[in-house]
Amino acid sequence: MKDVLVVGTGLIGTSVALALKAQGVGVYVRDSDPVSVKIASSLGAGSMEEPPKKVDLAVVAVPPALVADVLVRLQAEDVARHYTDVASVKARPQQDAIALACDNARYVGGHPMAGSERSGPLAARADLFDGCNWVLTPTSETDTDTLNAALQLVAACGAVPVLMEAAAHDRAVGLVSHAPHLVASLVASLLEPADERMVSLAGSGVRDLTRIAAADPGLWVDILDANALVVADLLEEMSEGLDDAVMGLRAMGATDDDKRSNGARIVEDLLRRGQAGRARIPAKHGTVPEQYETVTVMIGDQPGELARLFTDASSAGVNVEDVHLEHSAGRPTGRAQLSVTRDLREVLVTTLHNRGWRHH
């Protein structure tokens, strides 16, 4: 792959462009928003000039409802040999592309399973897709060369390709992304009218749970609009569990011992099923959560502390697989939770203790 046109310079589009540039690919960027495309270009994502010749691949990085419209215009210009998109819903763009008589042999849907609660080109990173799953949804019409071009894109961005049917993808992202986003927003909405003293007690649990609720509502309306019925079914299924939780909790508050005991069983069953479901989430591609353990370290609010922590961990020959920071503005200390493979936990703990770090 020598050159690529990225249409749409939001978080995902700009991150794709940055990742490709880092691999030596010639990248051109285009966006209907002149400010966004200028920012992306100034970050080194690519040239705002029109490609002098047909590029190898065009990446459509716009909301799901706009994918087919952009695709048909690009194909009318004949700007690329092959086309893909990065929208978070796949069935609707695929159906729209058929309705608009796009050249579907040269188009394959795609969705990198990565993102952030932040949006726009300033939030973009070249390493955003490292190790993440990138779903491709070829059909019986998809040309082999087009699929290969999309696979090259995925590899260049450091991601792992996953082939799925569009409808199966949409059910999956409804379960692991879209419905959870609405649930996070519902929880966060309870905080909006709450007394300030109550909200000030918020800790890492509610921060983690509601983090994604900080995302752009307008963007998420576009995403949910394209997968509305799937998400509605999931929320309806979830509502049955909520009804059980309410019933169990009210029984736990009763004076009758039998009712209290029965209520506790209902709630405990819900918590156990939640625990079992959480355990199925991979900690990292190709691994399971049980292979990792967490070391929690107290970290001061001084410049360079986090870098010093990573340096000390590296000196022990320990690779930090994931890191989570718990810190509130104005507080002198925070906590860094370092995920490492189980066999290296004691090595890391000993090294950090010897270097003067306090850990839990």
Side-chain angles (χ1 to χ4, degrees), residues 2 22 47 54 76 78 87 91 93 101 122-123 125 146 162 189 206 220 233 253-254 261 272 311 314 330 341 343 347:
K2 296 180 180 178
S47 170
K54 185 183 295 188
D78 198 24
L122 290 173
R125 306 193 330 257
T146 296
V162 178
S189 70
V206 74
W220 270 91
D233 287 343
S261 179
R272 289 190 183 280
T311 299
S314 178
T341 54
D343 59 322
V347 175

Side-chain angles (χ1 to χ4, degrees), residues 309-321 340-341 343-345 347-348 351-352 355:
L309 176 61
F310 285 139
T311 299
D312 288 345
S314 178
S315 70
V318 174
N319 181 47
V320 176
E321 303 289 345
V340 297
T341 54
D343 59 322
L344 292 177
R345 182 187 183 281
V347 175
L348 179 61
T351 300
L352 294 182
R355 298 293 178 92

Side-chain angles (χ1 to χ4, degrees), residues 219-273:
L219 173 65
W220 270 91
V221 167
D222 289 336
I223 293 171
L224 293 168
D225 177 64
N227 205 26
L229 295 181
V230 169
V231 178
D233 287 343
L234 288 165
L235 291 180
E236 186 172 27
E237 185 178 339
M238 190 180 300
S239 71
E240 296 173 4
L242 285 174
D243 289 342
D244 288 344
V246 170
M247 180 178 65
L249 290 167
R250 294 203 183 282
M252 288 171 69
T255 56
D256 183 271
D257 288 343
D258 289 339
K259 286 185 178 180
R260 288 170 59 88
S261 179
N262 185 55
R265 281 195 295 270
I266 292 172
V267 173
E268 183 178 7
D269 178 64
L270 172 63
L271 295 173
R272 289 190 183 280
R273 285 188 285 124

Side-chain angles (χ1 to χ4, degrees), residues 90-342:
K90 300 271 59 83
R92 177 171 172 177
Q94 194 175 90
Q95 293 161 1
D96 291 346
I98 293 171
L100 291 176
C102 294
D103 182 354
N104 288 296
R106 295 193 296 143
Y107 160 66
V108 59
H111 177 208
M113 299 298 295
S116 168
E117 69 275 14
R118 299 173 61 204
S119 58
L122 290 173
R125 306 193 330 257
D127 64 349
L128 182 66
F129 312 108
D130 284 359
C132 81
N133 290 321
W134 191 309
V135 179
L136 297 174
T137 56
T139 69
S140 58
E141 293 184 57
T142 307
D143 185 81
T144 300
D145 289 340
T146 296
L147 178 57
N148 285 338
L151 289 168
Q152 288 180 49
L153 169 69
V154 174
C157 290
V160 179
V162 178
L163 301 186
M164 298 180 71
E165 292 184 351
H169 163 274
D170 290 356
R171 287 193 296 272
V173 294
L175 174 66
V176 303
S177 176
H178 302 166
H181 190 97
L182 278 176
V183 172
S185 296
L186 285 169
V187 174
S189 70
L190 295 175
L191 303 175
E192 195 272 334
D195 181 85
E196 186 65 31
R197 292 187 66 191
M198 296 172 65
V199 178
S200 69
L201 300 178
S204 60
V206 74
R207 287 195 190 93
D208 289 346
L209 181 61
T210 60
R211 177 184 60 80
I212 54 177
D216 178 13
L219 173 65
W220 270 91
V221 167
D222 289 336
I223 293 171
L224 293 168
D225 177 64
N227 205 26
L229 295 181
V230 169
V231 178
D233 287 343
L234 288 165
L235 291 180
E236 186 172 27
E237 185 178 339
M238 190 180 300
S239 71
E240 296 173 4
L242 285 174
D243 289 342
D244 288 344
V246 170
M247 180 178 65
L249 290 167
R250 294 203 183 282
M252 288 171 69
T255 56
D256 183 271
D257 288 343
D258 289 339
K259 286 185 178 180
R260 288 170 59 88
S261 179
N262 185 55
R265 281 195 295 270
I266 292 172
V267 173
E268 183 178 7
D269 178 64
L270 172 63
L271 295 173
R272 289 190 183 280
R273 285 188 285 124
Q275 185 184 52
R278 175 65 176 81
R280 297 192 64 194
I281 300 174
K284 193 176 182 181
H285 178 73
T287 64
V288 294
E290 289 78 5
Q291 292 176 301
Y292 292 104
E293 292 199 9
T294 299
V295 176
T296 302
V297 182
M298 303 303 296
I299 184 168
D301 192 21
Q302 298 89 28
E305 281 292 274
L306 191 56
R308 184 169 70 87
L309 176 61
F310 285 139
T311 299
D312 288 345
S314 178
S315 70
V318 174
N319 181 47
V320 176
E321 303 289 345
D322 196 8
V323 61
H324 177 75
L325 297 177
E326 295 181 9
H327 180 259
S328 297
R331 294 184 180 178
T333 61
R335 294 193 297 179
Q337 296 178 345
L338 309 179
S339 293
V340 297
T341 54
R342 181 176 296 168

Side-chain angles (χ1 to χ4, degrees), residues 12-27:
I12 301 298
T14 304
S15 294
V16 168
L18 290 170
L20 293 174
K21 285 285 287 185
Q23 295 298 315
V25 178
V27 181

